[in-house]
């Protein structure tokens, strides 16, 4: 493995998320009926940070939920992690749900998340916010809000480290030889 | 988790039990969703084979499998070719030939699920076996759902004072709980009349007593066991009334436990025998909570046996 390349530093992540927060407000003309749902694991702290920025900007407390998609994956037989607790304590029906994840890659996680979300109700609309879009989609899925677009090679991997889970904020590009 | 069968908790590691319990917590959340259905076991076929009657175990295994989109079939043994003399082996292989990937087996003979598991991979068919209660041996998913319930109410199992009281001799529920709880670090007290308190347990790290008041003293969890009808008429007890008086859990006896102690029973309960009406329906009773957790635990067990979870985290 070669030396990892830093894609985003802590200050870049903060700026990107702040911009995403502004875009969410702009797109939805405010925050009425907007809720955030973070996809486990790193989508959860990202959703909480975006909610904090939304609160700073609009002075509105946006509900934040947690979604685990292990039970809805289509690569269940290949590699799955044990399911963890989801927690959506509000009704998603007739809400605009902004799904939040760290990296958008093949799109399969998002497909699974859309399925899982349907078990909670029928949102009026679902939007997608990601910190990194690295391309290589295998499904017709796109993000509405992107922190950073980063073209990558398929065999590379993007590692998002967050203070809450990893003790530090940074995004790295790793190349396997 | 690499396990293919769940035959008992005797050989389960602490790590395995923790994984099952954590997964079961996630499954309980699934069961609270407006739409209780996930595609996790789509295309898998689960067959329940009950050679003994059951309400909750069979129903909860079927609900667990269906919630995860598995196909289920259940063999009513009395109406099957078993009544014509077909052996367990031939019954299993016949169903495996139809595509069953998992057998949930209850049998009056201890060891029947283990025998069933020994056929997997030998005759051209590969399948998982879950023990849903075999003779006087084990009932591992009951042990797991009991531990899940304790964890839910008490936070953790390690260090809990758990008292199991009643007919320990014939109880597969008790045996699975003893193995699981010792692995998880609980302090165990077993209590029953001499005739129903097997001395084999004394080789394990448990306290044994024939005095129920003493056993309940300071307990965090009081678990009482069903006194089976056939024991009532056997030579084990002078009378059911005497058993109820000496070993039944009533409000007065329950007061000796900690004020926030929970009362558990695997069901079906004999009201007025091992448990009095007032405590069975009282605030400390978590009996119906155990039933609810049963579905979640069985989802977790099926998920890990059938899901090929190679642990990518």
């Amino acid at each position: 493995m070669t030396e990892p390349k830093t894609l985003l530093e802590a200050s870049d992540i903060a700026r990107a998320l702040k911009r995403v927060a502004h875009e969410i407000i702009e797109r939805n003309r405010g925050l009425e009926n907007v809720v955030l749902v973070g996809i486990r694991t790193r989508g959860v702290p990202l959703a909480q940070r975006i909610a904090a920025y939304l609160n700073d900007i609009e002075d509105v407390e946006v509900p934040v939920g947690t979604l685990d998609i292990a039970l809805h994956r289509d690569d269940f037989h290949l590699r799955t992690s044990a399911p963890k607790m989801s927690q959506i304590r509000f009704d998603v029906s007739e809400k605009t749900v902004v799904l939040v994840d760290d990296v958008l890659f093949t799109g399969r996680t998002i497909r699974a998340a859309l399925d899982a979300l349907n078990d909670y109700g029928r949102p009026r609309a679902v939007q997608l916010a990601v910190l990194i879009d690295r391309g290589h989609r295998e499904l017709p899925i796109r993000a509405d809000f992107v922190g950073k677009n980063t073209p990558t090679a398929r065999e590379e991997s993007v590692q998002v480290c967050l203070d809450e889970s990893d003790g530090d904020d940074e995004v790295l590009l790793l190349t396997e030889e | 988790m690499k396990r293919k069968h769940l035959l008992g908790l005797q050989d389960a590691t602490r790590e395995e039990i923790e994984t099952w319990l954590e997964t079961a917590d996630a499954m309980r959340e699934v069961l609270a969703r407006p739409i209780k259905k996930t595609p996790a076991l789509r295309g898998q076929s689960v067959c329940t084979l009950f050679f003994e009657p059951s309400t909750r175990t069979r129903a909860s295994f079927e609900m667990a499998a269906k919630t995860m989109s598995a196909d289920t079939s259940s063999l009513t043994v009395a109406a099957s070719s078993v009544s014509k003399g077909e052996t367990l082996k031939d019954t299993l292989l016949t169903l495996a030939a139809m595509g069953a990937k998992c057998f949930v087996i209850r049998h009056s003979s201890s060891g029947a699920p283990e025998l069933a598991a020994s056929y997997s991979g030998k005759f051209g068919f590969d399948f998982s076996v879950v023990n849903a209660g075999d003779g006087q041996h084990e009932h591992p998913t009951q042990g797991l759902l009991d531990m899940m319930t304790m964890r839910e109410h008490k936070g953790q199992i390690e260090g809990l004072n758990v008292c199991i009281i009643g007919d320990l001799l014939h109880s597969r529920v008790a045996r699975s709980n003893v193995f699981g709880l010792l692995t998880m670090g609980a302090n165990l007290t077993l209590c029953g009349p001499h005739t129903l308190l097997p001395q084999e347990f004394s080789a394990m790290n448990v306290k044994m007593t024939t005095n129920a008041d003493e056993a309940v003293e300071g307990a965090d969890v009081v678990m009482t066991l069903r006194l089976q009808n056939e024991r009532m008429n056997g030579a084990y007890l002078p009378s059911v009334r005497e058993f109820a008086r000496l070993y039944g859990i009533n409000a007065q006896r329950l007061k000796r436990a900690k004020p926030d102690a929970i009362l558990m029973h695997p069901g079906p309960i004999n009201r007025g025998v091992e448990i009095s009406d007032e405590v069975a329906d009282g605030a400390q009773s978590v009996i119906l909570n155990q039933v609810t957790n049963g579905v979640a635990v069985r989802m977790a067990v099926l998920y890990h046996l059938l899901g090929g979870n190679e642990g990518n985290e």
Side-chain angles (χ1 to χ4, degrees):
Chain A
M1 196 171 292
T2 52
E3 207 42 23
K5 187 180 148 200
T6 303
L7 293 177
L8 295 179
E9 290 174 3
S11 55
D12 301 324
I13 293 175
R15 273 191 290 271
L17 292 178
K18 226 175 277 182
R19 177 173 50 74
V20 165
H22 277 288
E23 287 176 2
I24 290 172
I25 297 163
E26 190 180 5
R27 164 78 71 89
N28 295 294
R29 298 185 172 169
L31 293 172
E32 202 183 339
N33 288 324
V34 172
V35 298
L36 299 180
V37 171
I39 299 173
R40 261 179 181 268
T41 35
R42 292 202 175 62
V44 178
L46 289 175
Q48 281 155 352
R49 290 192 200 182
I50 292 173
Y53 290 129
L54 292 174
N55 195 12
D56 288 347
I57 302 162
E58 291 281 287
D59 200 20
V60 174
E61 285 226 17
V62 175
V64 181
T66 298
L67 194 60
D68 182 89
I69 52 109
L71 292 168
H72 288 80
R73 293 193 71 100
D74 59 4
D75 55 0
F76 183 68
H77 303 279
L78 305 177
R79 53 171 190 95
T80 45
S81 49
K84 299 272 162 44
M85 186 98 80
S86 297
Q87 205 167 67
I88 299 183
R89 295 211 165 135
F90 43 83
D91 187 4
V92 299
S93 300
E94 296 311 310
K95 298 284 190 333
T96 295
V97 177
V98 182
L99 282 174
V100 182
D101 202 4
D102 55 353
V103 180
L104 179 57
F105 181 29
T106 61
R108 289 180 191 269
T109 300
I110 305 306
R111 187 213 52 83
L114 289 169
D115 276 356
L117 194 59
N118 268 333
D119 294 344
Y120 289 88
R122 182 183 181 278
R124 198 187 64 76
V126 182
Q127 299 167 354
L128 175 62
V130 297
L131 183 58
I132 303 285
D133 182 349
R134 59 167 293 195
H136 303 285
R137 217 76 76 238
E138 294 169 1
L139 295 169
I141 280 169
R142 62 162 177 75
D144 299 88
F145 314 106
V146 179
K148 185 177 172 64
N149 274 298
T150 309
T152 58
R154 210 164 213 303
E155 56 281 6
E156 288 171 326
S157 68
V158 175
Q159 191 183 344
V160 173
C161 305
L162 295 175
D163 200 21
E164 293 89 333
S165 49
D166 314 283
D168 208 359
D169 268 10
E170 61 179 348
V171 179
L172 302 172
L173 182 67
L174 307 168
T175 315
E176 294 201 29
E177 303 228 341
Chain B
M1 200 178 280
K2 290 275 192 283
R3 183 182 275 274
K4 188 166 183 63
H5 309 291
L6 175 58
L7 304 175
L9 295 184
Q10 187 166 16
D11 67 342
T13 64
R14 187 167 181 151
E15 195 188 358
E16 282 182 307
I17 293 174
E18 272 166 5
T19 304
W20 280 316
L21 296 182
E22 268 165 38
T23 306
D25 284 340
M27 296 304 187
R28 189 171 49 204
E29 188 276 331
V30 170
L31 292 169
R33 295 180 191 177
I35 296 175
K36 303 159 195 9
K37 196 89 174 171
T38 78
L41 296 185
R42 211 165 47 163
Q44 305 267 17
S45 177
V46 176
C47 185
T48 59
L49 277 171
F50 276 59
F51 294 83
E52 263 189 2
S54 157
T55 302
R56 66 212 78 222
T57 305
R58 182 176 196 146
S60 71
F61 265 111
E62 285 177 14
M63 279 184 202
K66 284 180 174 145
T67 302
M68 292 191 293
S69 306
D71 298 311
T72 59
S73 51
S74 54
L75 197 70
T76 307
V77 170
S80 73
S81 291
V82 173
S83 64
K84 298 181 191 168
E86 191 169 44
T87 62
L88 177 64
K89 175 179 165 185
D90 289 324
T91 305
L92 283 169
L93 293 178
T94 301
L95 293 164
M98 293 178 194
K101 281 275 173 268
C102 177
F103 293 104
V104 176
I105 300 178
R106 165 163 296 184
H107 204 287
S108 55
S109 298
S110 304
E114 194 171 340
L115 181 67
S118 74
Y119 300 134
S120 172
K122 280 210 191 120
F123 299 91
F125 300 107
D126 226 24
F127 49 80
S128 290
V129 173
V130 183
N131 180 1
D134 61 333
Q136 297 167 21
H137 175 223
E138 280 221 44
H139 190 356
T141 55
Q142 179 74 40
L144 289 172
L145 76 88
D146 288 339
M147 287 192 275
M148 177 184 182
T149 309
M150 290 177 209
R151 227 173 62 133
E152 181 187 348
H153 289 273
K154 298 288 162 198
Q156 60 166 35
I157 292 167
E158 182 151 22
L160 278 187
N161 297 323
V162 180
C163 151
I164 306 181
I165 186 163
D167 177 2
L168 284 123
L169 177 62
H170 301 97
S171 178
R172 53 197 179 207
V173 173
R175 290 174 61 83
S176 287
N177 265 295
V178 168
F179 294 134
L181 287 166
L182 285 179
T183 303
M184 297 302 286
N187 308 317
L188 268 179
T189 304
L190 308 179
C191 173
H194 275 298
T195 48
L196 297 175
L197 192 61
Q199 285 310 304
E200 287 84 342
F201 283 124
S202 60
M204 304 171 84
N205 185 21
V206 299
K207 218 167 87 186
M208 288 169 62
T209 173
T210 53
N211 182 324
D213 287 337
E214 194 183 297
V216 171
E217 196 72 50
D220 296 293
V221 177
V222 177
M223 182 187 296
T224 173
L225 301 168
R226 176 179 167 74
L227 184 69
Q228 294 170 26
N229 295 325
E230 52 273 33
R231 315 300 167 219
M232 299 183 192
N233 305 322
Y236 296 101
L237 300 167
S239 78
V240 172
R241 271 177 62 189
E242 190 202 79
F243 178 86
R245 187 167 55 80
L246 291 176
Y247 297 100
I249 299 296
N250 51 36
Q252 198 190 353
R253 186 159 281 149
L254 194 55
K255 276 201 195 114
R256 292 175 173 269
K258 289 191 184 157
D260 62 348
I262 56 170
L263 175 64
M264 306 178 69
H265 189 297
I269 63 179
N270 293 310
R271 288 175 183 268
V273 182
E274 70 266 0
I275 191 165
S276 74
D277 266 328
E278 54 177 338
V279 295
D281 304 324
Q284 284 169 277
S285 167
V286 296
I287 295 171
L288 291 174
N289 196 204
Q290 288 172 269
V291 178
T292 309
N293 286 344
V295 180
V297 150
R298 283 157 188 141
M299 286 171 74
V301 166
L302 292 175
Y303 176 89
H304 285 293
L305 291 183
L306 298 176
N309 171 32
E310 298 302 319
N312 173 62
E313 230 190 0

